[in-house]
Amino acid sequence: MTGTIERLSGLLREKKVSCRELTQAYLDGIARDNSVLNAYVRTTKEQALETAETVDRKIAAGELLSPLEGIPMTIKDNISTRGIETTCCSKILQGYTPIYDATVWQTLKQQNAVLLGKTNMDEFAMGSSCETSCHGGAVNPFGTGYVAGGSSGGGASAVAGNLAVYALGSDTGGSIRQPAGFCGLVGLKPTYGTVSRFGLIAYASSLDQIGPICKSVSDAALVYDAISGRDPMDSTSVGQKEPVAPQLAKRPENLTIGVVKEYFQGVDAQVEEALQSAIRTYEKMGARIVDLSVPSVSYALPVYYILACAEASSNLGRYDGIRYGYRAAHYGSVHEMICKTRSEGFGPEVQRRILLGSYVLSAGYYDAYYKKAQNLRGAVIKGFNEAFARCDVILAPTVPMTAFPKGFAVQDQVQTYQTDVCTVPVNIAGIPALSMPCGYDQKSLPIGMQLIANRFEETKLLQTAYWFEQEMAGEIYRKTEWGCRQYA
Ligand code: GLN
């Protein structure tokens, strides 16, 4: 009893299954498979069953259900959930239970979304394989020797492994799109400001954005419509332009797709081949393809690692062992307590980024690194503006390769940072992008295609994706089901 939001919501309405049965089926799946997938770090069984009963009472009373009502889902461990431990998969936040809900969860809770638990992630969302988590990494349902991606690896593993219908993740430099790409799913990073960040534990505030990881484009549209909107609790919130789901099936008129050559440098041959075939599919369907060059895209990776680390070093200053979370057991002075707490509480990747961030912000290096990166951020934005004067949507790889084997991403940090080359440019520019499956490599691992649109153009972006999905659905879903059975 698994499937998309659309399918399961239909079964609930037609009374073919009760919400309690549906929820129990997912809880049973978690009890059976989570020891293999390591997708969940915490489950919320009682709360889930309680919500399920509320939904069943509504169904029995003949009340109308909203699109996400009664659907079992999961939330990344950096999104605050009142009364439920939220740790960013870091030792430093162990035992921290928020006293308020993130706006996104408050909204979904009001619609009786059934929360199954909190999912695994790289510590403080810093990483590309989920392996910097203090719980160890989440596993890819398409092959247990491979990672689910990062940082929202747990959410992607749960959805691909049928342990949740959809997941909420966060994307600072690719953390929704990359794991979605590695696990054959649809992951949407919305325009900066359209989804409230209130209650999202900050990594790099000017880049962070919450979004959905789903099994289909229509599901992504439904979740995006539900969680977006202006929020007075987030000073950078602007809200959504228009609801996407009602217009999803409309074909984008005179669609021009841009193929930016800088995105294809150093891409694995099988990934390149799958993308070229997707381009031909769009062409056959009637889209116009234009070749473009956006040189500033090549600067995005160093710009990202300077800005993200700088903002992280400031945001993570609050974990000092005084107000909440972990505190070192033995210390003499206050200074020693803070030092020991941070050295013992943060893992090596988080410490590395705090040090890098403090370095680029320090007097003497500020102009050479931070200021230069800010200037180049402007160049990346300008590059995209120019590109969108010539096309509607850009098509690119999500990642230059398919899922990493376990252990690969923790061997060489700089090499791992380089694998974020295709995902970070949109965060720098604040524009929306999604990843969706477009094929499989010879190891039967999914290949992710990235579609990018101009700011607030989610409707056009998701319509373009939906169009492709309709054309490819049979092929993509058949293989997805196969992949999901692999570990069972
Ligand atoms: N992999 C990138 C990083 O390590 C992106 C992470 C994210 O989007 N949270 O910073």
Side-chain angles (χ1 to χ4, degrees), residues 316-327:
L316 273 59
R318 70 190 70 165
Y319 306 105
D320 52 11
I322 295 172
R323 286 159 291 187
Y324 44 70
Y326 176 78
R327 180 186 294 175

Side-chain angles (χ1 to χ4, degrees), residues 163-218:
L163 304 187
V165 186
Y166 69 95
L168 288 190
S170 67
D171 191 312
T172 305
S175 281
I176 289 174
R177 289 160 289 152
Q178 190 255 32
F182 279 4
C183 294
L185 299 167
V186 178
L188 170 69
K189 195 265 339 156
T191 303
Y192 185 81
T194 57
V195 177
S196 168
R197 287 183 299 111
F198 179 72
L200 168 68
I201 299 177
Y203 162 15
S205 313
S206 80
L207 305 161
D208 297 340
Q209 189 63 185
I210 295 175
I213 299 177
C214 300
K215 279 178 178 285
S216 72
V217 176
S218 354

Side-chain angles (χ1 to χ4, degrees), residues 76 78 122 124-129 150-152 170-178 203 208 304-305 308 349 353 416-417 419-420 423-424 427:
K76 189 175 179 177
N78 61 350
D122 280 295
F124 281 98
M126 298 174 188
S128 304
S129 67
S151 64
S152 317
S170 67
D171 191 312
T172 305
S175 281
I176 289 174
R177 289 160 289 152
Q178 190 255 32
Y203 162 15
D208 297 340
Y304 170 80
Y305 273 97
E349 184 58 29
R353 297 199 190 194
T416 304
Y417 295 170
T419 63
D420 293 331
T423 46
V424 297
N427 301 78

Side-chain angles (χ1 to χ4, degrees), residues 242 244 252 255 391-393 453 457-465:
E242 61 199 351
V244 176
L255 184 76
C391 69
D392 299 293
V393 172
E457 298 282 20
E458 271 82 359
T459 302
K460 202 190 279 175
L461 178 68
L462 284 148
Q463 283 173 342
T464 307

Side-chain angles (χ1 to χ4, degrees), residues 8 29 40 132 135 152 167 173 179 199 208 221 236 256 265 289 327 385 389 440 450 460 469:
L8 296 174
Y40 284 85
T132 71
H135 304 281
S152 317
D208 297 340
T236 59
T256 305
Q265 280 158 9
I289 309 292
R327 180 186 294 175
N385 284 344
Y440 296 83
Q450 189 177 197
K460 202 190 279 175
E469 189 183 64

Side-chain angles (χ1 to χ4, degrees), residues 251-259 277-291 390-395 449 451 460 463-465 467-468 471:
R251 273 194 176 198
E253 269 168 47
N254 304 323
L255 184 76
T256 305
I257 293 181
V259 179
S277 139
I279 294 169
R280 285 194 297 276
T281 302
Y282 270 117
E283 209 166 17
K284 263 190 258 151
M285 294 191 302
R288 197 166 71 86
I289 309 292
V290 289
D291 288 323
R390 299 190 49 205
C391 69
D392 299 293
V393 172
I394 291 171
L395 187 154
M449 164 171 82
L451 297 174
K460 202 190 279 175
Q463 283 173 342
T464 307
W467 198 20
F468 183 79
E471 186 75 16

Side-chain angles (χ1 to χ4, degrees), residues 440-454:
Y440 296 83
D441 71 2
Q442 278 155 7
K443 291 177 283 192
S444 290
L445 293 169
I447 296 173
M449 164 171 82
Q450 189 177 197
L451 297 174
I452 305 167
N454 209 347

